[in-house]
Amino acid sequence: MSEKADYGVVIVGAGQGGATAAIQLRQLGYEGSIVLVGKEAEPPYERPPLSKDYLLGEKTFERILLRPEAFWADKAVELMLGAEAVSVDPKAHEVRLQDGRVLGYEHLVWATGGSPRRLDCPGAELAGVHAVRDRADVDRILAELPEVERVAVVGGGYIGLEAAAALTKLGKQVALFEVLPRVLARVAGEEISDFYAAEHKAHGVDLRCGVGVTAIEGEGRVAGVRLTDESSLACQMVIVGIGIVPAVGPLLAAGAAGGNGVDVDPQCRTSLPDVFAIGDCAAHANRFAGGQVMRVESVQNASDQAAVAARTICGIAADYEATPWFWSNQYDLKLQTVGIGAGHDATVLRGDPAGRAFSVIYLRGGKVIALDCVNMVKDYVQGRKLVEAGVSVSAEDLADTGRPLKEWL
Ligand code: FAD
């Protein structure tokens, strides 16, 4: 018979969402037992620095821990690390781990994020091909870097672009391939894409849009990439940043509704009794996207959904309605985003990209729905209020940098 331990709350996934759920439960006075089950060996840490300061060597691993290690024992949160949950029995209220252990729960919080999407071309498994998702990925990259002169980055989303910026700063020659016609195509308007493409080129990145990778070449180790335009490029490392696949297999197998992630209601409850899902793996109807069901991959979303799940477990009324925000650091540029721009029907450019401080404001039906602010903290702070209030402002007024955005509230 397998060993079984019973808990008040079992949290699967010791990342941003899982750790925040445990913290919030204790802050709300939850007195039951809590276990945080994590596949990785490390206590919970922040992922954003992995493609920024940690990759650059500007922050040590200790500095990116979400809490000092002693915190978890102080708060009576059991850390079960190096442990992978492989199945859920919703009737018995049990989670089974890969090593056979069984954890009984009153409430289960599923906070597993996702695994990096892999390339499916020949050579994708060669040594020297890396994702940037976990600490272990970045440690492998850092260990190999001294032998590497040229890196090919596949994918022009935030992670690919941030990795390209960091590697360039580390003195590597970087080529970046994005199969779509522009970088950041899924998350930002054309003005932002064009600006970032130009910045990367100015920093020496060989950035090519509309170009994909058809094969990774090499004997045992990466020696180059072959591209959709029939050309090839020699390199000693490939970094793949083409999105994630939500890690919800065990929940879907247990009968939870979902597909691209697991579906949750406004309290972050899945369709299984007493089972919640939060963070990158949770598909929810987002108020800021007109109620569209989506997964949002951000620290804000994971943390705020964790708070909602914790409140619901504690019997406190809560709905997930938090304002979406995000940031990205590349070179000396700080991009801050608020709202969800997808589905916009107009954009307004505020400021001049040539001055490297400007904002792009997204409108739908005349209402402000999102902003991307580059080195423009004031616009971000004030624009957030416009998004939350869903105000209608004319394009001319929004573009007038002589007047602060707060005037239009
Ligand atoms: P995660 O933090 O990914 O945690 C999930 C954890 O669950 C992982 O540790 C995983 O190993 C574990 N796990 C998975 N399956 C199992 C299982 N079966 N059993 C046990 N454990 C399991 N967001 C921003 O807002 N701003 C940024 O600048 C930014 N930069 C980023 C840079 C990088 C390189 C990455 C990878 C992400 C970045 N993000 C950023 C996104 C942000 O980090 C995520 O949205 C956030 O971490 C999601 O939290 P989560 O709890 O859903 O998942």
Side-chain angles (χ1 to χ4, degrees), residues 12-19 37-40 45-52 83-86 97 110-114 132-134 138 158-159 162 247 250 278-281 296-300 302-303 325-329:
V12 176
Q16 186 73 44
V37 181
K39 204 164 71 166
E40 294 175 69
Y45 60 90
E46 298 171 55
R47 254 165 243 285
L50 294 181
S51 50
K52 309 177 181 74
E84 183 178 355
V86 290
L97 305 186
W110 197 262
T112 50
V132 188
R133 180 77 193 170
D134 295 340
V138 180
Y158 286 122
I159 290 178
E162 287 181 354
I278 58 174
D280 285 9
C281 71
V296 174
E297 296 172 16
S298 72
V299 166
Q300 169 279 316
S303 307
W325 55 264
F326 185 85
W327 77 96
S328 174
N329 299 342

Short mmCIF file of all heavy atoms in Angstrom, two decimals, residues 12-19 37-40 45-52 83-86 97 110-114 132-134 138 158-159 162 247 250 278-281 296-300 302-303 325-329, ligand 1:
data_model
loop_
_atom_site.label_atom_id
_atom_site.label_comp_id
_atom_site.label_asym_id
_atom_site.label_seq_id
_atom_site.Cartn_x
_atom_site.Cartn_y
_atom_site.Cartn_z
N VAL A 12 -0.22 22.24 -5.76
CA VAL A 12 0.70 21.59 -6.71
C VAL A 12 1.30 22.67 -7.59
O VAL A 12 0.57 23.39 -8.30
CB VAL A 12 -0.02 20.52 -7.55
CG1 VAL A 12 0.93 19.94 -8.59
CG2 VAL A 12 -0.55 19.41 -6.66
N GLY A 13 2.62 22.80 -7.55
CA GLY A 13 3.33 23.85 -8.28
C GLY A 13 3.84 24.88 -7.29
O GLY A 13 3.06 25.61 -6.69
N ALA A 14 5.18 24.89 -7.08
CA ALA A 14 5.76 25.80 -6.10
C ALA A 14 6.39 27.00 -6.81
O ALA A 14 7.54 27.36 -6.56
CB ALA A 14 6.79 25.06 -5.25
N GLY A 15 5.63 27.60 -7.73
CA GLY A 15 6.10 28.79 -8.43
C GLY A 15 5.40 30.03 -7.90
O GLY A 15 4.96 30.06 -6.74
N GLN A 16 5.24 31.02 -8.78
CA GLN A 16 4.65 32.30 -8.39
C GLN A 16 3.26 32.14 -7.77
O GLN A 16 2.97 32.64 -6.69
CB GLN A 16 4.56 33.21 -9.62
CG GLN A 16 4.10 34.61 -9.34
CD GLN A 16 5.15 35.44 -8.64
OE1 GLN A 16 6.32 35.42 -9.01
NE2 GLN A 16 4.76 36.18 -7.61
N GLY A 17 2.40 31.41 -8.47
CA GLY A 17 1.02 31.28 -8.01
C GLY A 17 0.92 30.41 -6.76
O GLY A 17 0.27 30.78 -5.78
N GLY A 18 1.56 29.25 -6.79
CA GLY A 18 1.49 28.32 -5.66
C GLY A 18 2.02 28.96 -4.38
O GLY A 18 1.39 28.88 -3.32
N ALA A 19 3.19 29.60 -4.49
CA ALA A 19 3.79 30.22 -3.31
C ALA A 19 2.89 31.34 -2.77
O ALA A 19 2.67 31.45 -1.57
CB ALA A 19 5.16 30.79 -3.67
N VAL A 37 3.80 21.44 -3.22
CA VAL A 37 4.49 20.36 -3.93
C VAL A 37 5.14 20.94 -5.19
O VAL A 37 4.43 21.52 -6.03
CB VAL A 37 3.48 19.27 -4.37
CG1 VAL A 37 4.18 18.14 -5.09
CG2 VAL A 37 2.70 18.76 -3.17
N GLY A 38 6.43 20.80 -5.34
CA GLY A 38 7.11 21.40 -6.50
C GLY A 38 8.02 20.42 -7.20
O GLY A 38 8.82 19.72 -6.56
N LYS A 39 7.93 20.40 -8.51
CA LYS A 39 8.73 19.49 -9.32
C LYS A 39 10.21 19.86 -9.29
O LYS A 39 11.09 19.01 -9.35
CB LYS A 39 8.20 19.59 -10.77
CG LYS A 39 8.47 18.41 -11.63
CD LYS A 39 7.58 18.44 -12.86
CE LYS A 39 8.01 19.55 -13.81
NZ LYS A 39 7.39 19.39 -15.15
N GLU A 40 10.47 21.16 -9.22
CA GLU A 40 11.87 21.60 -9.22
C GLU A 40 12.49 21.39 -7.83
O GLU A 40 11.78 21.27 -6.84
CB GLU A 40 11.95 23.09 -9.59
CG GLU A 40 11.52 23.35 -11.01
CD GLU A 40 11.49 24.84 -11.31
OE1 GLU A 40 12.56 25.44 -11.36
OE2 GLU A 40 10.39 25.40 -11.46
N TYR A 45 10.84 30.65 -6.45
CA TYR A 45 11.63 31.81 -6.88
C TYR A 45 10.89 32.54 -8.00
O TYR A 45 9.95 32.01 -8.59
CB TYR A 45 13.03 31.37 -7.34
CG TYR A 45 13.04 30.41 -8.50
CD1 TYR A 45 13.07 30.88 -9.83
CD2 TYR A 45 12.99 29.04 -8.30
CE1 TYR A 45 13.07 30.00 -10.90
CE2 TYR A 45 12.98 28.15 -9.37
CZ TYR A 45 13.01 28.63 -10.67
OH TYR A 45 13.00 27.76 -11.73
N GLU A 46 11.36 33.76 -8.28
CA GLU A 46 10.76 34.58 -9.35
C GLU A 46 11.32 34.13 -10.69
O GLU A 46 12.53 33.98 -10.83
CB GLU A 46 11.17 36.04 -9.18
CG GLU A 46 10.74 36.73 -7.94
CD GLU A 46 11.43 38.09 -7.86
OE1 GLU A 46 11.33 38.88 -8.81
OE2 GLU A 46 12.10 38.33 -6.85
N ARG A 47 10.44 33.99 -11.66
CA ARG A 47 10.90 33.62 -12.99
C ARG A 47 11.37 34.82 -13.85
O ARG A 47 12.28 34.67 -14.67
CB ARG A 47 9.79 32.89 -13.74
CG ARG A 47 10.00 31.43 -13.87
CD ARG A 47 8.76 30.67 -14.27
NE ARG A 47 8.44 29.80 -13.18
CZ ARG A 47 9.11 28.68 -12.91
NH1 ARG A 47 10.09 28.29 -13.69
NH2 ARG A 47 8.80 27.95 -11.90
N PRO A 48 10.75 36.00 -13.72
CA PRO A 48 11.16 37.10 -14.64
C PRO A 48 12.66 37.37 -14.70
O PRO A 48 13.19 37.59 -15.80
CB PRO A 48 10.36 38.30 -14.10
CG PRO A 48 9.11 37.67 -13.55
CD PRO A 48 9.57 36.37 -12.92
N PRO A 49 13.42 37.31 -13.60
CA PRO A 49 14.85 37.59 -13.73
C PRO A 49 15.61 36.55 -14.56
O PRO A 49 16.75 36.79 -14.96
CB PRO A 49 15.35 37.57 -12.28
CG PRO A 49 14.14 37.74 -11.43
CD PRO A 49 13.01 37.11 -12.20
N LEU A 50 15.00 35.39 -14.81
CA LEU A 50 15.72 34.35 -15.55
C LEU A 50 16.16 34.83 -16.93
O LEU A 50 17.22 34.42 -17.42
CB LEU A 50 14.85 33.09 -15.72
CG LEU A 50 14.49 32.32 -14.44
CD1 LEU A 50 13.65 31.09 -14.79
CD2 LEU A 50 15.75 31.90 -13.68
N SER A 51 15.36 35.69 -17.55
CA SER A 51 15.76 36.18 -18.88
C SER A 51 16.33 37.60 -18.78
O SER A 51 16.55 38.24 -19.81
CB SER A 51 14.54 36.17 -19.81
OG SER A 51 13.43 36.81 -19.20
N LYS A 52 16.54 38.06 -17.55
CA LYS A 52 17.02 39.44 -17.35
C LYS A 52 18.25 39.38 -16.42
O LYS A 52 19.29 38.86 -16.82
CB LYS A 52 15.90 40.31 -16.75
CG LYS A 52 14.57 40.24 -17.51
CD LYS A 52 13.50 41.07 -16.81
CE LYS A 52 12.15 41.02 -17.49
NZ LYS A 52 11.40 39.75 -17.32
N ALA A 83 9.25 16.89 -6.26
CA ALA A 83 8.12 15.96 -6.23
C ALA A 83 7.12 16.35 -7.31
O ALA A 83 6.69 17.51 -7.37
CB ALA A 83 7.45 16.03 -4.86
N GLU A 84 6.75 15.41 -8.14
CA GLU A 84 5.84 15.71 -9.26
C GLU A 84 4.49 15.04 -9.04
O GLU A 84 4.42 13.83 -8.82
CB GLU A 84 6.46 15.22 -10.57
CG GLU A 84 5.60 15.57 -11.76
CD GLU A 84 6.21 15.12 -13.08
OE1 GLU A 84 7.35 14.63 -13.09
OE2 GLU A 84 5.52 15.27 -14.11
N ALA A 85 3.43 15.82 -9.12
CA ALA A 85 2.08 15.24 -9.04
C ALA A 85 1.73 14.65 -10.39
O ALA A 85 1.86 15.32 -11.41
CB ALA A 85 1.08 16.33 -8.66
N VAL A 86 1.29 13.40 -10.40
CA VAL A 86 1.01 12.75 -11.69
C VAL A 86 -0.45 12.43 -11.90
O VAL A 86 -0.88 12.21 -13.04
CB VAL A 86 1.88 11.48 -11.90
CG1 VAL A 86 3.34 11.85 -12.10
CG2 VAL A 86 1.73 10.50 -10.74
N LEU A 97 1.76 11.27 -6.28
CA LEU A 97 3.05 11.76 -6.77
C LEU A 97 3.76 10.68 -7.58
O LEU A 97 3.43 9.48 -7.46
CB LEU A 97 3.93 12.20 -5.60
CG LEU A 97 3.34 13.22 -4.64
CD1 LEU A 97 4.39 13.66 -3.62
CD2 LEU A 97 2.82 14.45 -5.39
N TRP A 110 -4.17 23.95 -8.03
CA TRP A 110 -3.30 23.50 -9.13
C TRP A 110 -2.62 24.75 -9.70
O TRP A 110 -3.29 25.64 -10.22
CB TRP A 110 -4.14 22.79 -10.18
CG TRP A 110 -3.34 21.96 -11.12
CD1 TRP A 110 -2.92 22.31 -12.37
CD2 TRP A 110 -2.87 20.63 -10.88
NE1 TRP A 110 -2.21 21.27 -12.92
CE2 TRP A 110 -2.16 20.22 -12.03
CE3 TRP A 110 -2.96 19.74 -9.81
CZ2 TRP A 110 -1.55 18.97 -12.14
CZ3 TRP A 110 -2.36 18.49 -9.92
CH2 TRP A 110 -1.66 18.12 -11.08
N ALA A 111 -1.31 24.82 -9.57
CA ALA A 111 -0.56 26.03 -9.97
C ALA A 111 0.71 25.62 -10.67
O ALA A 111 1.82 25.96 -10.25
CB ALA A 111 -0.26 26.87 -8.73
N THR A 112 0.55 24.87 -11.75
CA THR A 112 1.70 24.20 -12.37
C THR A 112 2.33 24.94 -13.54
O THR A 112 3.29 24.44 -14.13
CB THR A 112 1.26 22.80 -12.87
OG1 THR A 112 0.08 23.01 -13.66
CG2 THR A 112 0.96 21.85 -11.73
N GLY A 113 1.77 26.10 -13.90
CA GLY A 113 2.37 26.82 -15.04
C GLY A 113 2.33 25.99 -16.31
O GLY A 113 1.30 25.40 -16.64
N GLY A 114 3.45 25.93 -17.00
CA GLY A 114 3.48 25.16 -18.25
C GLY A 114 4.89 24.73 -18.58
O GLY A 114 5.86 25.20 -17.97
N VAL A 132 14.06 28.81 -21.82
CA VAL A 132 14.33 29.69 -20.68
C VAL A 132 13.08 29.68 -19.82
O VAL A 132 12.23 30.57 -19.92
CB VAL A 132 14.66 31.14 -21.12
CG1 VAL A 132 15.12 31.97 -19.93
CG2 VAL A 132 15.71 31.16 -22.20
N ARG A 133 12.94 28.65 -19.02
CA ARG A 133 11.73 28.56 -18.18
C ARG A 133 12.09 28.40 -16.71
O ARG A 133 11.49 28.99 -15.85
CB ARG A 133 10.87 27.38 -18.65
CG ARG A 133 9.59 27.18 -17.87
CD ARG A 133 8.51 28.19 -18.26
NE ARG A 133 7.41 28.21 -17.32
CZ ARG A 133 6.43 29.12 -17.33
NH1 ARG A 133 6.43 30.08 -18.24
NH2 ARG A 133 5.47 29.10 -16.46
N ASP A 134 13.09 27.55 -16.45
CA ASP A 134 13.46 27.23 -15.08
C ASP A 134 14.88 27.70 -14.79
O ASP A 134 15.67 27.91 -15.71
CB ASP A 134 13.45 25.71 -14.87
CG ASP A 134 12.05 25.14 -15.01
OD1 ASP A 134 11.10 25.92 -14.88
OD2 ASP A 134 11.93 23.93 -15.27
N VAL A 138 18.59 28.05 -17.25
CA VAL A 138 19.51 29.20 -17.34
C VAL A 138 20.89 28.82 -16.82
O VAL A 138 21.91 29.25 -17.37
CB VAL A 138 18.91 30.43 -16.61
CG1 VAL A 138 19.86 31.61 -16.68
CG2 VAL A 138 17.57 30.79 -17.22
N TYR A 158 8.38 38.11 -25.76
CA TYR A 158 9.15 38.79 -24.71
C TYR A 158 10.38 38.00 -24.29
O TYR A 158 11.46 38.55 -24.11
CB TYR A 158 8.27 39.04 -23.48
CG TYR A 158 7.27 40.15 -23.68
CD1 TYR A 158 5.92 39.93 -23.54
CD2 TYR A 158 7.70 41.43 -24.02
CE1 TYR A 158 5.00 40.95 -23.73
CE2 TYR A 158 6.80 42.45 -24.22
CZ TYR A 158 5.45 42.21 -24.07
OH TYR A 158 4.55 43.22 -24.27
N ILE A 159 10.22 36.69 -24.10
CA ILE A 159 11.34 35.92 -23.57
C ILE A 159 12.49 35.85 -24.57
O ILE A 159 13.65 36.06 -24.22
CB ILE A 159 10.86 34.53 -23.11
CG1 ILE A 159 10.01 34.73 -21.85
CG2 ILE A 159 12.04 33.58 -22.84
CD1 ILE A 159 9.40 33.49 -21.28
N GLU A 162 14.11 39.35 -24.65
CA GLU A 162 14.90 39.64 -23.44
C GLU A 162 16.19 38.82 -23.44
O GLU A 162 17.25 39.33 -23.07
CB GLU A 162 14.08 39.32 -22.18
CG GLU A 162 12.98 40.36 -21.95
CD GLU A 162 12.17 40.09 -20.68
OE1 GLU A 162 12.37 39.04 -20.04
OE2 GLU A 162 11.33 40.95 -20.35
N ALA A 247 0.53 22.90 -18.05
CA ALA A 247 0.76 21.58 -17.44
C ALA A 247 -0.49 21.11 -16.69
O ALA A 247 -0.54 21.14 -15.46
CB ALA A 247 1.96 21.66 -16.50
N PRO A 250 -2.80 15.92 -15.69
CA PRO A 250 -3.46 15.15 -14.62
C PRO A 250 -4.87 15.65 -14.29
O PRO A 250 -5.75 14.86 -14.00
CB PRO A 250 -2.51 15.32 -13.43
CG PRO A 250 -1.18 15.62 -14.04
CD PRO A 250 -1.48 16.42 -15.28
N ILE A 278 -4.86 28.17 -10.84
CA ILE A 278 -4.44 29.58 -10.89
C ILE A 278 -3.19 29.72 -11.76
O ILE A 278 -2.46 28.75 -11.99
CB ILE A 278 -4.12 30.11 -9.46
CG1 ILE A 278 -3.02 29.26 -8.78
CG2 ILE A 278 -5.38 30.10 -8.58
CD1 ILE A 278 -2.56 29.82 -7.43
N GLY A 279 -2.99 30.95 -12.22
CA GLY A 279 -1.74 31.27 -12.92
C GLY A 279 -1.76 30.88 -14.40
O GLY A 279 -2.82 30.81 -15.03
N ASP A 280 -0.58 30.62 -14.92
CA ASP A 280 -0.40 30.38 -16.35
C ASP A 280 -1.30 29.25 -16.88
O ASP A 280 -1.60 29.20 -18.07
CB ASP A 280 1.06 29.97 -16.64
CG ASP A 280 2.03 31.14 -16.58
OD1 ASP A 280 1.61 32.24 -16.14
OD2 ASP A 280 3.20 30.95 -16.95
N CYS A 281 -1.68 28.31 -16.01
CA CYS A 281 -2.42 27.12 -16.49
C CYS A 281 -3.93 27.31 -16.42
O CYS A 281 -4.68 26.41 -16.82
CB CYS A 281 -1.99 25.88 -15.70
SG CYS A 281 -2.56 25.87 -13.99
N VAL A 296 -3.56 33.91 -19.00
CA VAL A 296 -2.68 35.08 -18.98
C VAL A 296 -1.38 34.66 -18.29
O VAL A 296 -1.42 34.10 -17.20
CB VAL A 296 -3.35 36.26 -18.23
CG1 VAL A 296 -2.38 37.42 -18.08
CG2 VAL A 296 -4.61 36.71 -18.96
N GLU A 297 -0.27 34.87 -18.97
CA GLU A 297 1.01 34.44 -18.41
C GLU A 297 1.73 35.64 -17.83
O GLU A 297 2.47 36.33 -18.52
CB GLU A 297 1.85 33.78 -19.51
CG GLU A 297 1.20 32.50 -20.03
CD GLU A 297 1.91 31.93 -21.25
OE1 GLU A 297 3.06 32.31 -21.52
OE2 GLU A 297 1.28 31.11 -21.94
N SER A 298 1.47 35.93 -16.57
CA SER A 298 2.14 37.06 -15.92
C SER A 298 2.16 36.86 -14.42
O SER A 298 1.34 36.14 -13.85
CB SER A 298 1.42 38.37 -16.25
OG SER A 298 0.18 38.44 -15.57
N VAL A 299 3.11 37.53 -13.79
CA VAL A 299 3.22 37.52 -12.33
C VAL A 299 1.94 38.07 -11.73
O VAL A 299 1.40 37.53 -10.76
CB VAL A 299 4.44 38.37 -11.92
CG1 VAL A 299 4.41 38.69 -10.43
CG2 VAL A 299 5.73 37.63 -12.29
N GLN A 300 1.42 39.15 -12.30
CA GLN A 300 0.18 39.75 -11.77
C GLN A 300 -0.95 38.73 -11.73
O GLN A 300 -1.63 38.57 -10.72
CB GLN A 300 -0.20 40.95 -12.67
CG GLN A 300 -1.58 41.52 -12.43
CD GLN A 300 -2.70 40.72 -13.12
OE1 GLN A 300 -2.56 40.35 -14.28
NE2 GLN A 300 -3.77 40.45 -12.43
N ALA A 302 -0.89 35.41 -11.86
CA ALA A 302 -0.67 34.28 -10.94
C ALA A 302 -0.89 34.73 -9.50
O ALA A 302 -1.54 34.03 -8.71
CB ALA A 302 0.74 33.73 -11.13
N SER A 303 -0.38 35.91 -9.15
CA SER A 303 -0.48 36.38 -7.76
C SER A 303 -1.92 36.73 -7.41
O SER A 303 -2.40 36.39 -6.33
CB SER A 303 0.41 37.60 -7.54
OG SER A 303 1.71 37.31 -7.98
N TRP A 325 -1.40 43.64 -15.65
CA TRP A 325 -0.19 44.45 -15.93
C TRP A 325 1.00 43.52 -16.11
O TRP A 325 0.99 42.38 -15.65
CB TRP A 325 0.07 45.51 -14.86
CG TRP A 325 0.18 45.00 -13.45
CD1 TRP A 325 -0.82 44.98 -12.53
CD2 TRP A 325 1.33 44.45 -12.79
NE1 TRP A 325 -0.36 44.42 -11.35
CE2 TRP A 325 0.95 44.10 -11.48
CE3 TRP A 325 2.65 44.22 -13.19
CZ2 TRP A 325 1.83 43.53 -10.56
CZ3 TRP A 325 3.54 43.65 -12.26
CH2 TRP A 325 3.11 43.32 -10.97
N PHE A 326 2.02 44.05 -16.77
CA PHE A 326 3.16 43.23 -17.17
C PHE A 326 4.33 44.18 -17.41
O PHE A 326 4.13 45.37 -17.60
CB PHE A 326 2.79 42.52 -18.49
CG PHE A 326 3.81 41.54 -18.98
CD1 PHE A 326 3.81 40.24 -18.49
CD2 PHE A 326 4.76 41.90 -19.92
CE1 PHE A 326 4.76 39.32 -18.92
CE2 PHE A 326 5.72 40.99 -20.36
CZ PHE A 326 5.70 39.69 -19.85
N TRP A 327 5.53 43.66 -17.39
CA TRP A 327 6.67 44.50 -17.75
C TRP A 327 7.69 43.67 -18.52
O TRP A 327 7.67 42.44 -18.47
CB TRP A 327 7.32 45.10 -16.50
CG TRP A 327 8.18 44.14 -15.74
CD1 TRP A 327 9.53 43.98 -15.83
CD2 TRP A 327 7.74 43.14 -14.78
NE1 TRP A 327 9.94 42.96 -14.99
CE2 TRP A 327 8.88 42.44 -14.34
CE3 TRP A 327 6.49 42.78 -14.26
CZ2 TRP A 327 8.81 41.41 -13.41
CZ3 TRP A 327 6.43 41.75 -13.34
CH2 TRP A 327 7.58 41.08 -12.92
N SER A 328 8.56 44.36 -19.22
CA SER A 328 9.67 43.68 -19.90
C SER A 328 10.86 44.63 -19.92
O SER A 328 10.70 45.81 -20.25
CB SER A 328 9.27 43.32 -21.33
OG SER A 328 10.39 42.80 -22.03
N ASN A 329 12.03 44.12 -19.54
CA ASN A 329 13.25 44.94 -19.58
C ASN A 329 14.15 44.44 -20.70
O ASN A 329 14.49 43.26 -20.73
CB ASN A 329 14.02 44.82 -18.27
CG ASN A 329 13.22 45.31 -17.08
OD1 ASN A 329 12.23 46.02 -17.24
ND2 ASN A 329 13.63 44.91 -15.89
P1 FAD B 1 5.19 29.00 -12.48
O1 FAD B 1 5.76 30.17 -11.78
O2 FAD B 1 5.80 28.55 -13.75
O3 FAD B 1 5.21 27.79 -11.43
C1 FAD B 1 4.77 26.51 -11.75
C2 FAD B 1 5.60 25.50 -10.99
O4 FAD B 1 4.94 24.25 -11.01
C3 FAD B 1 6.96 25.25 -11.61
O5 FAD B 1 7.96 25.37 -10.65
C4 FAD B 1 6.86 23.82 -12.14
O6 FAD B 1 8.08 23.13 -12.10
C5 FAD B 1 5.87 23.21 -11.17
N1 FAD B 1 5.16 22.05 -11.68
C6 FAD B 1 4.66 21.85 -12.93
N2 FAD B 1 4.02 20.67 -13.01
C7 FAD B 1 4.10 20.11 -11.78
C8 FAD B 1 3.64 18.89 -11.23
N3 FAD B 1 2.93 18.03 -11.95
N4 FAD B 1 3.92 18.61 -9.93
C9 FAD B 1 4.64 19.49 -9.18
N5 FAD B 1 5.11 20.68 -9.66
C10 FAD B 1 4.83 20.98 -10.93
N6 FAD B 1 5.84 37.78 -16.07
C11 FAD B 1 5.75 39.11 -15.84
O7 FAD B 1 4.69 39.57 -15.37
N7 FAD B 1 6.79 39.94 -16.16
C12 FAD B 1 7.94 39.49 -16.67
O8 FAD B 1 8.86 40.26 -16.94
C13 FAD B 1 8.08 38.09 -16.89
N8 FAD B 1 9.23 37.57 -17.37
C14 FAD B 1 9.36 36.21 -17.49
C15 FAD B 1 10.57 35.68 -17.91
C16 FAD B 1 10.73 34.30 -18.02
C17 FAD B 1 12.04 33.76 -18.46
C18 FAD B 1 9.65 33.44 -17.74
C19 FAD B 1 9.80 31.96 -17.87
C20 FAD B 1 8.43 33.96 -17.34
C21 FAD B 1 8.28 35.35 -17.20
N9 FAD B 1 7.07 35.92 -16.78
C22 FAD B 1 6.97 37.26 -16.58
C23 FAD B 1 5.89 35.07 -16.56
C24 FAD B 1 5.72 34.71 -15.11
O9 FAD B 1 6.94 34.32 -14.53
C25 FAD B 1 4.69 33.59 -15.03
O10 FAD B 1 3.50 34.06 -15.60
C26 FAD B 1 4.47 33.15 -13.62
O11 FAD B 1 5.62 32.60 -13.06
C27 FAD B 1 3.33 32.13 -13.58
O12 FAD B 1 3.18 31.60 -12.31
P2 FAD B 1 2.59 30.14 -12.14
O13 FAD B 1 2.54 29.88 -10.67
O14 FAD B 1 1.37 29.99 -12.94
O15 FAD B 1 3.67 29.18 -12.81
#
